[in-house]
Amino acid sequence: MAKRCYYEVLGVPRTATEAEITKAYRALAKKYHPDQNPGDDSVLEKYHEVTEAYEVLKDPEKRAIYDRYGHEGLANGGAPPTEGGVYINLDEVFGDLIDGLFGSGRRRGRGGMRRGDDIEMVLDLELLEAATGVTRTLTVRYEANCRSCGGRGTRPGTQPAVCRRCRGSGTEYVSGGFFALPQRCRGCGGAGYVITDPCPTCRGRGRGEAQETVTVTVPAGVDTRTQLTLRGHGHEGSPGAPRGDLHLIVRVKEHKTFERDGHNLICQCPISFAQAALGGPVELTTLTGEKVTLQVPRGTQTHTVLRVPGHGMPDLDNPRRKGDLLVILIVQTPTQLSPEQEQLFRRLAELEHSTPAAAPAKGWFGKLKDLITGEHSPTSEKRG
Ligand SMILES: [Zn+2]
Ligand SMILES: [Zn+2]
């Protein structure tokens, strides 16, 4: 015959207090006591059933086990627990309860374990490092389970005690007229147990801080907001659960010479009046330190843009594919003239009186935009 529910045996609700349970038991024990019913064996059986139910329900720890696991949770059929017998089951209870201690149960893995949270860190890089890629060694601080108590919060060798207020369920019932409304237990914060003998290392928190050195290989072509993920280098989860991930958010610093526009780099290059008018070679150093020679066309206007293919930023997905370097030529007007230069400019000015003025050229900003969108004019493009 299947065992009857202990609460049913005593005729009390599952939310009954210890006093209510004792009161119900006393009444039934009196009713079924063998001395009150001489010669009636069926009553003796009832008496044992009631007593067994009371033995379990009057003890908060046994009651907690019974609430969670029913009759099966209690080895020896509810007899007083022998050392160890009951605690085998408690281990399971605590595994579950500790999980409850650390959070809402978000991202629960196998067996109800909670994976560790992710960590986000900003990784500041120079533009050159973003262009070539770089290896960085970082110190990462993360939340870890206490090494002394394994994250349980209890002094090693001791067990937490089942919360007496909620009897291990983590839920208490608050009277709401006819109904008893469940709410998170205020005695244990919903964990279902309380630590009476806390671990001296973590003072019962079960958690501590740890740090590790992580080496990250940053690929060429990263940009501000590129995210690099290192699996398993985040916070530790509940004991035995996998660690979270480490997300590095790239932030590329501004460069004093080169400005980035997607895969292209933009820089300015000053040229003299004479170079602009007559044309000729101009030497330039790229971001990576390479020397390139630009051919300034004859009659170049200020802010003319020259394109140097393949000297921009590499593509993150295909680093061999690179953007271009766009060079804005700035014609510099001399501010200090030697007597000889002044003479020559005066001579030039005399000649200009007899030459009609040229039509205004397209603005430099328009030209730059054309270049970026690919509709550049062929006269302003020269290979470096
Ligand atoms: Zn509680
Ligand atoms: Zn500890």
Side-chain angles (χ1 to χ4, degrees), residues 250-311:
V250 171
R251 189 167 62 185
V252 180
K253 286 187 205 156
E254 270 186 28
H255 193 278
K256 64 183 197 303
T257 309
F258 297 94
E259 196 179 313
R260 184 177 187 165
D261 182 62
H263 290 152
N264 293 332
L265 287 173
I266 302 166
C267 72
Q268 295 190 342
C269 177
I271 56 170
S272 70
F273 257 10
Q275 282 174 310
L278 303 171
V282 167
E283 200 176 69
L284 193 84
T285 307
T286 66
L287 175 65
T288 52
E290 271 181 79
K291 302 274 186 211
V292 290
T293 305
L294 297 181
Q295 285 301 327
V296 175
R298 205 177 165 83
T300 290
Q301 302 298 318
T302 191
H303 291 92
T304 293
V305 179
L306 300 188
R307 181 186 288 261
V308 189
H311 283 279

Short mmCIF file of all heavy atoms in Angstrom, two decimals, residues 250-311:
data_model
loop_
_atom_site.label_atom_id
_atom_site.label_comp_id
_atom_site.label_asym_id
_atom_site.label_seq_id
_atom_site.Cartn_x
_atom_site.Cartn_y
_atom_site.Cartn_z
N VAL A 250 36.81 47.30 -28.86
CA VAL A 250 37.95 48.08 -29.35
C VAL A 250 37.59 49.57 -29.41
O VAL A 250 36.47 49.94 -29.76
CB VAL A 250 38.37 47.57 -30.75
CG1 VAL A 250 39.41 48.49 -31.38
CG2 VAL A 250 38.90 46.13 -30.65
N ARG A 251 38.57 50.40 -29.01
CA ARG A 251 38.43 51.85 -29.18
C ARG A 251 39.75 52.34 -29.77
O ARG A 251 40.80 52.21 -29.14
CB ARG A 251 38.15 52.49 -27.82
CG ARG A 251 37.78 53.96 -27.89
CD ARG A 251 37.22 54.42 -26.56
NE ARG A 251 38.21 54.30 -25.49
CZ ARG A 251 37.93 54.54 -24.20
NH1 ARG A 251 36.72 54.88 -23.82
NH2 ARG A 251 38.87 54.42 -23.29
N VAL A 252 39.68 52.82 -31.01
CA VAL A 252 40.90 53.24 -31.71
C VAL A 252 41.10 54.74 -31.47
O VAL A 252 40.20 55.54 -31.69
CB VAL A 252 40.80 52.93 -33.21
CG1 VAL A 252 42.08 53.37 -33.93
CG2 VAL A 252 40.57 51.44 -33.44
N LYS A 253 42.31 55.07 -31.01
CA LYS A 253 42.62 56.49 -30.72
C LYS A 253 42.77 57.28 -32.01
O LYS A 253 43.13 56.74 -33.05
CB LYS A 253 43.94 56.56 -29.93
CG LYS A 253 43.83 56.13 -28.50
CD LYS A 253 45.16 56.41 -27.77
CE LYS A 253 45.31 55.49 -26.58
NZ LYS A 253 46.71 55.30 -26.20
N GLU A 254 42.55 58.58 -31.90
CA GLU A 254 42.74 59.45 -33.06
C GLU A 254 44.23 59.57 -33.37
O GLU A 254 45.05 59.62 -32.46
CB GLU A 254 42.17 60.84 -32.78
CG GLU A 254 40.72 60.96 -33.18
CD GLU A 254 40.19 62.37 -33.02
OE1 GLU A 254 40.98 63.33 -33.13
OE2 GLU A 254 38.98 62.50 -32.80
N HIS A 255 44.53 59.65 -34.65
CA HIS A 255 45.92 59.80 -35.07
C HIS A 255 46.15 61.25 -35.47
O HIS A 255 45.24 61.91 -35.95
CB HIS A 255 46.16 58.87 -36.28
CG HIS A 255 47.60 58.70 -36.63
ND1 HIS A 255 48.29 59.61 -37.39
CD2 HIS A 255 48.48 57.71 -36.31
CE1 HIS A 255 49.55 59.18 -37.53
NE2 HIS A 255 49.68 58.04 -36.88
N LYS A 256 47.36 61.74 -35.23
CA LYS A 256 47.58 63.18 -35.48
C LYS A 256 47.67 63.49 -36.99
O LYS A 256 47.43 64.62 -37.39
CB LYS A 256 48.80 63.69 -34.73
CG LYS A 256 50.14 63.10 -35.14
CD LYS A 256 51.25 63.67 -34.25
CE LYS A 256 52.64 63.46 -34.81
NZ LYS A 256 53.00 62.07 -35.09
N THR A 257 47.96 62.51 -37.80
CA THR A 257 48.11 62.76 -39.24
C THR A 257 47.00 62.11 -40.06
O THR A 257 46.50 62.71 -41.01
CB THR A 257 49.47 62.22 -39.74
OG1 THR A 257 50.49 62.74 -38.88
CG2 THR A 257 49.74 62.63 -41.17
N PHE A 258 46.65 60.88 -39.70
CA PHE A 258 45.73 60.12 -40.54
C PHE A 258 44.34 60.03 -39.91
O PHE A 258 44.22 59.76 -38.71
CB PHE A 258 46.26 58.71 -40.79
CG PHE A 258 47.55 58.71 -41.55
CD1 PHE A 258 48.77 58.66 -40.89
CD2 PHE A 258 47.55 58.77 -42.95
CE1 PHE A 258 49.96 58.68 -41.59
CE2 PHE A 258 48.75 58.78 -43.67
CZ PHE A 258 49.96 58.74 -42.98
N GLU A 259 43.35 60.22 -40.74
CA GLU A 259 41.98 60.09 -40.30
C GLU A 259 41.39 58.89 -41.04
O GLU A 259 41.69 58.66 -42.21
CB GLU A 259 41.21 61.36 -40.68
CG GLU A 259 39.90 61.51 -39.96
CD GLU A 259 39.20 62.80 -40.35
OE1 GLU A 259 39.88 63.86 -40.37
OE2 GLU A 259 38.01 62.74 -40.65
N ARG A 260 40.57 58.12 -40.32
CA ARG A 260 40.04 56.90 -40.93
C ARG A 260 38.62 57.13 -41.43
O ARG A 260 37.81 57.77 -40.76
CB ARG A 260 40.02 55.80 -39.87
CG ARG A 260 39.59 54.45 -40.37
CD ARG A 260 39.71 53.48 -39.22
NE ARG A 260 39.46 52.12 -39.61
CZ ARG A 260 39.79 51.08 -38.86
NH1 ARG A 260 40.36 51.28 -37.69
NH2 ARG A 260 39.54 49.86 -39.27
N ASP A 261 38.35 56.60 -42.61
CA ASP A 261 36.98 56.64 -43.12
C ASP A 261 36.70 55.24 -43.67
O ASP A 261 37.00 54.94 -44.83
CB ASP A 261 36.85 57.71 -44.20
CG ASP A 261 35.41 57.80 -44.71
OD1 ASP A 261 34.52 58.11 -43.91
OD2 ASP A 261 35.19 57.51 -45.90
N GLY A 262 36.16 54.36 -42.83
CA GLY A 262 35.95 52.96 -43.23
C GLY A 262 37.30 52.32 -43.51
O GLY A 262 38.16 52.29 -42.64
N HIS A 263 37.49 51.83 -44.73
CA HIS A 263 38.75 51.19 -45.08
C HIS A 263 39.78 52.19 -45.60
O HIS A 263 40.94 51.84 -45.81
CB HIS A 263 38.51 50.11 -46.14
CG HIS A 263 37.78 48.93 -45.61
ND1 HIS A 263 36.98 48.12 -46.38
CD2 HIS A 263 37.71 48.44 -44.35
CE1 HIS A 263 36.45 47.18 -45.61
NE2 HIS A 263 36.87 47.36 -44.37
N ASN A 264 39.34 53.43 -45.86
CA ASN A 264 40.28 54.43 -46.40
C ASN A 264 40.90 55.25 -45.28
O ASN A 264 40.33 55.41 -44.21
CB ASN A 264 39.55 55.36 -47.36
CG ASN A 264 39.09 54.62 -48.62
OD1 ASN A 264 39.70 53.63 -49.01
ND2 ASN A 264 38.02 55.10 -49.23
N LEU A 265 42.08 55.76 -45.58
CA LEU A 265 42.74 56.72 -44.69
C LEU A 265 42.84 58.04 -45.44
O LEU A 265 43.01 58.05 -46.66
CB LEU A 265 44.14 56.23 -44.31
CG LEU A 265 44.21 55.06 -43.33
CD1 LEU A 265 45.65 54.58 -43.18
CD2 LEU A 265 43.64 55.45 -41.97
N ILE A 266 42.72 59.13 -44.72
CA ILE A 266 42.79 60.45 -45.34
C ILE A 266 43.90 61.23 -44.64
O ILE A 266 44.01 61.19 -43.41
CB ILE A 266 41.44 61.20 -45.17
CG1 ILE A 266 40.30 60.39 -45.80
CG2 ILE A 266 41.51 62.59 -45.80
CD1 ILE A 266 38.91 60.86 -45.40
N CYS A 267 44.73 61.91 -45.43
CA CYS A 267 45.72 62.80 -44.83
C CYS A 267 45.89 64.04 -45.70
O CYS A 267 45.43 64.07 -46.84
CB CYS A 267 47.06 62.09 -44.63
SG CYS A 267 47.95 61.78 -46.15
N GLN A 268 46.52 65.04 -45.14
CA GLN A 268 46.79 66.26 -45.90
C GLN A 268 48.27 66.31 -46.24
O GLN A 268 49.10 65.83 -45.46
CB GLN A 268 46.42 67.48 -45.07
CG GLN A 268 44.94 67.55 -44.77
CD GLN A 268 44.54 68.89 -44.15
OE1 GLN A 268 45.37 69.63 -43.65
NE2 GLN A 268 43.24 69.18 -44.20
N CYS A 269 48.58 66.90 -47.42
CA CYS A 269 49.98 67.02 -47.82
C CYS A 269 50.20 68.45 -48.33
O CYS A 269 49.60 68.85 -49.32
CB CYS A 269 50.29 65.99 -48.91
SG CYS A 269 51.96 66.11 -49.54
N PRO A 270 51.05 69.23 -47.64
CA PRO A 270 51.28 70.60 -48.11
C PRO A 270 52.18 70.61 -49.35
O PRO A 270 53.17 69.86 -49.41
CB PRO A 270 51.97 71.26 -46.91
CG PRO A 270 52.59 70.15 -46.15
CD PRO A 270 51.81 68.90 -46.44
N ILE A 271 51.84 71.44 -50.33
CA ILE A 271 52.72 71.63 -51.50
C ILE A 271 52.88 73.15 -51.72
O ILE A 271 52.04 73.94 -51.29
CB ILE A 271 52.19 70.94 -52.79
CG1 ILE A 271 50.77 71.42 -53.13
CG2 ILE A 271 52.22 69.42 -52.65
CD1 ILE A 271 50.28 70.97 -54.50
N SER A 272 53.95 73.51 -52.39
CA SER A 272 54.21 74.94 -52.61
C SER A 272 53.46 75.43 -53.84
O SER A 272 52.95 74.65 -54.64
CB SER A 272 55.72 75.16 -52.79
OG SER A 272 56.10 74.60 -54.04
N PHE A 273 53.40 76.76 -53.97
CA PHE A 273 52.81 77.39 -55.16
C PHE A 273 53.44 76.83 -56.44
O PHE A 273 52.76 76.46 -57.38
CB PHE A 273 53.09 78.91 -55.11
CG PHE A 273 51.91 79.71 -54.71
CD1 PHE A 273 50.76 79.14 -54.22
CD2 PHE A 273 51.98 81.11 -54.85
CE1 PHE A 273 49.69 79.92 -53.86
CE2 PHE A 273 50.89 81.90 -54.50
CZ PHE A 273 49.75 81.31 -53.99
N ALA A 274 54.78 76.77 -56.39
CA ALA A 274 55.50 76.34 -57.60
C ALA A 274 55.19 74.88 -57.94
O ALA A 274 54.93 74.55 -59.10
CB ALA A 274 57.00 76.53 -57.39
N GLN A 275 55.14 74.01 -56.89
CA GLN A 275 54.82 72.58 -57.13
C GLN A 275 53.40 72.45 -57.71
O GLN A 275 53.16 71.64 -58.59
CB GLN A 275 54.90 71.78 -55.83
CG GLN A 275 56.32 71.43 -55.40
CD GLN A 275 56.32 70.79 -54.02
OE1 GLN A 275 55.72 71.31 -53.09
NE2 GLN A 275 57.00 69.66 -53.91
N ALA A 276 52.49 73.28 -57.18
CA ALA A 276 51.11 73.23 -57.65
C ALA A 276 51.01 73.67 -59.11
O ALA A 276 50.30 73.07 -59.92
CB ALA A 276 50.23 74.11 -56.77
N ALA A 277 51.75 74.69 -59.46
CA ALA A 277 51.66 75.23 -60.82
C ALA A 277 52.40 74.35 -61.82
O ALA A 277 51.89 74.04 -62.91
CB ALA A 277 52.23 76.65 -60.85
N LEU A 278 53.58 73.88 -61.42
CA LEU A 278 54.43 73.16 -62.38
C LEU A 278 54.25 71.64 -62.32
O LEU A 278 54.59 70.93 -63.26
CB LEU A 278 55.90 73.50 -62.13
CG LEU A 278 56.25 75.00 -62.18
CD1 LEU A 278 57.68 75.23 -61.70
CD2 LEU A 278 56.05 75.55 -63.58
N GLY A 279 53.73 71.13 -61.18
CA GLY A 279 53.63 69.69 -60.99
C GLY A 279 54.97 69.12 -60.61
O GLY A 279 55.97 69.84 -60.61
N GLY A 280 54.98 67.80 -60.24
CA GLY A 280 56.25 67.17 -59.88
C GLY A 280 56.07 66.18 -58.76
O GLY A 280 54.97 66.04 -58.21
N PRO A 281 57.13 65.46 -58.42
CA PRO A 281 57.02 64.42 -57.37
C PRO A 281 57.02 65.01 -55.96
O PRO A 281 57.68 66.00 -55.71
CB PRO A 281 58.26 63.57 -57.60
CG PRO A 281 59.25 64.50 -58.23
CD PRO A 281 58.49 65.53 -58.99
N VAL A 282 56.23 64.35 -55.09
CA VAL A 282 56.20 64.70 -53.67
C VAL A 282 56.30 63.41 -52.88
O VAL A 282 55.61 62.44 -53.18
CB VAL A 282 54.88 65.43 -53.31
CG1 VAL A 282 54.70 65.51 -51.80
CG2 VAL A 282 54.85 66.82 -53.89
N GLU A 283 57.18 63.39 -51.87
CA GLU A 283 57.33 62.15 -51.09
C GLU A 283 56.47 62.21 -49.82
O GLU A 283 56.31 63.26 -49.20
CB GLU A 283 58.79 61.94 -50.71
CG GLU A 283 59.06 60.48 -50.34
CD GLU A 283 60.52 60.20 -50.05
OE1 GLU A 283 61.01 60.69 -49.02
OE2 GLU A 283 61.14 59.47 -50.84
N LEU A 284 55.90 61.05 -49.49
CA LEU A 284 54.96 60.97 -48.38
C LEU A 284 55.23 59.70 -47.57
O LEU A 284 55.59 58.67 -48.14
CB LEU A 284 53.55 60.90 -48.98
CG LEU A 284 52.37 61.12 -48.05
CD1 LEU A 284 52.12 62.61 -47.92
CD2 LEU A 284 51.14 60.47 -48.66
N THR A 285 55.07 59.75 -46.26
CA THR A 285 55.23 58.55 -45.41
C THR A 285 53.83 58.06 -45.03
O THR A 285 53.02 58.84 -44.52
CB THR A 285 56.04 58.87 -44.15
OG1 THR A 285 57.26 59.48 -44.55
CG2 THR A 285 56.34 57.62 -43.36
N THR A 286 53.57 56.79 -45.27
CA THR A 286 52.25 56.23 -44.96
C THR A 286 52.15 55.91 -43.47
O THR A 286 53.14 56.02 -42.73
CB THR A 286 51.98 54.94 -45.76
OG1 THR A 286 52.90 53.95 -45.29
CG2 THR A 286 52.17 55.14 -47.25
N LEU A 287 50.98 55.46 -43.03
CA LEU A 287 50.75 55.12 -41.62
C LEU A 287 51.75 54.08 -41.13
O LEU A 287 52.26 54.14 -40.02
CB LEU A 287 49.31 54.62 -41.45
CG LEU A 287 48.92 54.11 -40.06
CD1 LEU A 287 48.96 55.23 -39.03
CD2 LEU A 287 47.53 53.48 -40.09
N THR A 288 52.04 53.09 -41.99
CA THR A 288 52.93 52.00 -41.57
C THR A 288 54.40 52.35 -41.80
O THR A 288 55.27 51.49 -41.62
CB THR A 288 52.59 50.71 -42.33
OG1 THR A 288 52.55 51.01 -43.74
CG2 THR A 288 51.23 50.17 -41.92
N GLY A 289 54.68 53.59 -42.20
CA GLY A 289 56.07 54.03 -42.32
C GLY A 289 56.68 53.84 -43.69
O GLY A 289 57.88 54.07 -43.88
N GLU A 290 55.88 53.41 -44.66
CA GLU A 290 56.41 53.25 -46.02
C GLU A 290 56.52 54.60 -46.70
O GLU A 290 55.68 55.47 -46.49
CB GLU A 290 55.45 52.38 -46.84
CG GLU A 290 55.72 50.91 -46.75
CD GLU A 290 54.73 50.14 -47.60
OE1 GLU A 290 54.94 50.09 -48.83
OE2 GLU A 290 53.74 49.63 -47.04
N LYS A 291 57.53 54.74 -47.55
CA LYS A 291 57.68 55.98 -48.33
C LYS A 291 57.00 55.77 -49.68
O LYS A 291 57.24 54.77 -50.36
CB LYS A 291 59.17 56.28 -48.58
CG LYS A 291 59.99 56.42 -47.31
CD LYS A 291 59.93 57.83 -46.76
CE LYS A 291 60.88 57.98 -45.57
NZ LYS A 291 60.40 58.94 -44.59
N VAL A 292 56.13 56.70 -50.05
CA VAL A 292 55.52 56.64 -51.39
C VAL A 292 55.74 58.00 -52.07
O VAL A 292 55.82 59.03 -51.40
CB VAL A 292 54.00 56.33 -51.35
CG1 VAL A 292 53.74 54.91 -50.91
CG2 VAL A 292 53.25 57.30 -50.48
N THR A 293 55.87 57.96 -53.38
CA THR A 293 56.07 59.19 -54.13
C THR A 293 54.80 59.49 -54.93
O THR A 293 54.31 58.64 -55.68
CB THR A 293 57.28 59.04 -55.08
OG1 THR A 293 58.41 58.66 -54.29
CG2 THR A 293 57.58 60.34 -55.79
N LEU A 294 54.29 60.69 -54.71
CA LEU A 294 53.09 61.11 -55.43
C LEU A 294 53.50 62.00 -56.58
O LEU A 294 54.44 62.79 -56.45
CB LEU A 294 52.19 61.95 -54.51
CG LEU A 294 51.59 61.33 -53.26
CD1 LEU A 294 50.74 62.36 -52.55
CD2 LEU A 294 50.75 60.14 -53.66
N GLN A 295 52.82 61.88 -57.69
CA GLN A 295 53.05 62.80 -58.81
C GLN A 295 51.97 63.88 -58.75
O GLN A 295 50.80 63.61 -59.01
CB GLN A 295 52.99 62.04 -60.14
CG GLN A 295 54.23 61.19 -60.43
CD GLN A 295 55.53 62.00 -60.48
OE1 GLN A 295 55.52 63.17 -60.91
NE2 GLN A 295 56.62 61.41 -60.03
N VAL A 296 52.38 65.10 -58.37
CA VAL A 296 51.42 66.20 -58.34
C VAL A 296 51.23 66.68 -59.79
O VAL A 296 52.22 67.00 -60.46
CB VAL A 296 51.94 67.35 -57.45
CG1 VAL A 296 51.00 68.56 -57.50
CG2 VAL A 296 52.12 66.86 -56.02
N PRO A 297 49.98 66.68 -60.26
CA PRO A 297 49.81 67.11 -61.66
C PRO A 297 50.07 68.60 -61.82
O PRO A 297 49.91 69.38 -60.87
CB PRO A 297 48.33 66.79 -61.94
CG PRO A 297 47.80 66.09 -60.76
CD PRO A 297 48.71 66.34 -59.61
N ARG A 298 50.45 68.95 -63.00
CA ARG A 298 50.67 70.36 -63.34
C ARG A 298 49.35 71.11 -63.16
O ARG A 298 48.29 70.62 -63.55
CB ARG A 298 51.09 70.40 -64.83
CG ARG A 298 51.88 71.57 -65.26
CD ARG A 298 52.27 71.38 -66.72
NE ARG A 298 52.74 72.66 -67.27
CZ ARG A 298 54.00 73.10 -67.12
NH1 ARG A 298 54.89 72.34 -66.51
NH2 ARG A 298 54.36 74.28 -67.62
N GLY A 299 49.41 72.28 -62.56
CA GLY A 299 48.20 73.10 -62.41
C GLY A 299 47.24 72.57 -61.35
O GLY A 299 46.02 72.64 -61.49
N THR A 300 47.79 72.02 -60.27
CA THR A 300 46.94 71.47 -59.19
C THR A 300 46.34 72.60 -58.34
O THR A 300 47.05 73.53 -57.94
CB THR A 300 47.78 70.52 -58.33
OG1 THR A 300 48.07 69.36 -59.10
CG2 THR A 300 47.02 70.10 -57.06
N GLN A 301 45.03 72.50 -58.09
CA GLN A 301 44.38 73.47 -57.20
C GLN A 301 44.52 72.98 -55.76
O GLN A 301 44.69 71.77 -55.51
CB GLN A 301 42.88 73.57 -57.55
CG GLN A 301 42.60 73.97 -58.98
CD GLN A 301 43.15 75.35 -59.33
OE1 GLN A 301 43.03 76.29 -58.53
NE2 GLN A 301 43.79 75.46 -60.49
N THR A 302 44.41 73.91 -54.82
CA THR A 302 44.49 73.47 -53.43
C THR A 302 43.32 72.54 -53.12
O THR A 302 42.23 72.66 -53.71
CB THR A 302 44.54 74.67 -52.46
OG1 THR A 302 44.88 74.17 -51.16
CG2 THR A 302 43.20 75.40 -52.37
N HIS A 303 43.52 71.59 -52.20
CA HIS A 303 42.52 70.59 -51.79
C HIS A 303 42.19 69.58 -52.88
O HIS A 303 41.18 68.86 -52.77
CB HIS A 303 41.24 71.26 -51.25
CG HIS A 303 41.47 71.96 -49.95
ND1 HIS A 303 41.81 73.29 -49.88
CD2 HIS A 303 41.47 71.50 -48.67
CE1 HIS A 303 41.98 73.63 -48.61
NE2 HIS A 303 41.79 72.56 -47.86
N THR A 304 43.03 69.49 -53.89
CA THR A 304 42.88 68.39 -54.86
C THR A 304 43.22 67.09 -54.11
O THR A 304 44.12 67.07 -53.27
CB THR A 304 43.88 68.57 -56.02
OG1 THR A 304 43.47 69.74 -56.75
CG2 THR A 304 43.88 67.37 -56.96
N VAL A 305 42.48 66.03 -54.39
CA VAL A 305 42.66 64.76 -53.66
C VAL A 305 43.33 63.73 -54.58
O VAL A 305 42.85 63.49 -55.69
CB VAL A 305 41.32 64.21 -53.15
CG1 VAL A 305 41.54 62.90 -52.42
CG2 VAL A 305 40.65 65.24 -52.24
N LEU A 306 44.43 63.17 -54.13
CA LEU A 306 45.10 62.09 -54.86
C LEU A 306 44.86 60.78 -54.12
O LEU A 306 44.85 60.74 -52.90
CB LEU A 306 46.60 62.36 -54.96
CG LEU A 306 47.05 63.63 -55.67
CD1 LEU A 306 48.57 63.61 -55.83
CD2 LEU A 306 46.39 63.79 -57.03
N ARG A 307 44.67 59.72 -54.91
CA ARG A 307 44.39 58.42 -54.31
C ARG A 307 45.62 57.52 -54.41
O ARG A 307 46.18 57.36 -55.49
CB ARG A 307 43.22 57.77 -55.06
CG ARG A 307 42.81 56.41 -54.52
CD ARG A 307 41.76 55.78 -55.43
NE ARG A 307 40.48 56.45 -55.33
CZ ARG A 307 39.46 56.01 -54.59
NH1 ARG A 307 39.58 54.92 -53.89
NH2 ARG A 307 38.32 56.67 -54.56
N VAL A 308 46.05 56.97 -53.28
CA VAL A 308 47.17 56.01 -53.28
C VAL A 308 46.56 54.65 -52.95
O VAL A 308 46.29 54.35 -51.78
CB VAL A 308 48.24 56.40 -52.23
CG1 VAL A 308 49.48 55.53 -52.40
CG2 VAL A 308 48.60 57.87 -52.33
N PRO A 309 46.32 53.80 -53.95
CA PRO A 309 45.61 52.54 -53.70
C PRO A 309 46.40 51.60 -52.79
O PRO A 309 47.63 51.56 -52.84
CB PRO A 309 45.45 51.93 -55.09
CG PRO A 309 45.72 53.04 -56.05
CD PRO A 309 46.68 53.96 -55.37
N GLY A 310 45.69 50.88 -51.93
CA GLY A 310 46.31 49.82 -51.12
C GLY A 310 47.06 50.30 -49.90
O GLY A 310 47.70 49.51 -49.22
N HIS A 311 46.99 51.60 -49.60
CA HIS A 311 47.68 52.09 -48.40
C HIS A 311 46.70 52.57 -47.33
O HIS A 311 47.03 53.38 -46.49
CB HIS A 311 48.68 53.20 -48.76
CG HIS A 311 49.93 52.65 -49.38
ND1 HIS A 311 50.96 52.12 -48.65
CD2 HIS A 311 50.28 52.50 -50.68
CE1 HIS A 311 51.91 51.70 -49.46
NE2 HIS A 311 51.53 51.91 -50.71
#
